[in-house]
Amino acid sequence: PELSEEPPAEMVKMTKSKTFQAYLPNCHRTYSCIHCRAHLANHDELISKASGLFRDLMNCYQVNVGCGPAEERVLLTGLHAVADIYCENCKTTLGWKYEHAFESSQKYKEGKFIIELAHMIKDNGWE
């Protein structure tokens, strides 16, 4: 007998959902994961080149970034509650998200993200 191209419906089973890599529009300068080239952030969201501080990596212009649970850490600028962020595509830890700053002078960082410079590369439209 001939083999059918599709298995019968009762044999089709989903075992695990697949993570699809999303891409930022070609018209924007972007930062990508240096390990797998997944797009991470639009250049317009960058606040500080020196530290890799970004406004919001979870909005519609930022893709492929996951966020772990928050924990308290003592950083160079004092005590903060931060959550590690990672590339959804290759699972590399990229940096962290500032959840809470305990010092008033650091409150401006809350809700913002650090991508360590060693984990990102410039892509798309840089000259």
Side-chain angles (χ1 to χ4, degrees):
E2 271 186 43
L3 295 174
S4 73
E5 290 187 24
E6 292 183 17
E10 65 270 12
M11 292 177 68
V12 176
K13 176 161 91 164
M14 295 296 285
T15 56
K16 178 196 266 204
S17 63
K18 183 174 179 181
T19 302
F20 290 95
Q21 189 179 37
Y23 294 91
L24 292 167
N26 284 335
C27 60
H28 295 291
R29 293 183 296 169
T30 59
Y31 295 97
S32 298
C33 175
I34 198 166
H35 308 285
C36 71
R37 298 302 286 258
H39 288 179
L40 302 173
N42 181 327
H43 177 67
D44 296 341
E45 297 298 319
L46 181 65
I47 296 170
S48 170
K49 286 182 187 179
S51 66
L53 184 66
F54 287 84
R55 281 185 188 84
D56 185 3
L57 297 180
M58 303 296 179
N59 74 26
C60 63
Y61 294 107
Q62 278 59 51
V63 292
N64 303 316
V65 177
C67 192
E71 64 183 29
E72 291 182 5
R73 290 187 197 154
V74 178
L75 304 175
L76 291 174
T77 55
L79 181 63
H80 298 271
V82 298
D84 284 338
I85 59 170
Y86 57 91
C87 174
E88 286 278 10
N89 194 53
C90 69
K91 306 303 181 204
T92 298
T93 300
L94 301 168
W96 60 89
K97 176 183 180 187
Y98 288 100
E99 297 286 355
H100 179 71
F102 292 92
E103 295 182 26
S104 58
S105 66
Q106 299 298 307
K107 291 285 187 187
Y108 74 96
K109 294 179 180 177
E110 290 180 354
K112 295 179 178 62
F113 298 78
I114 291 284
I115 298 178
E116 294 176 333
L117 302 176
H119 296 296
M120 67 177 166
I121 190 169
K122 293 176 180 179
D123 259 340
N124 199 22
W126 295 90
E127 295 180 12

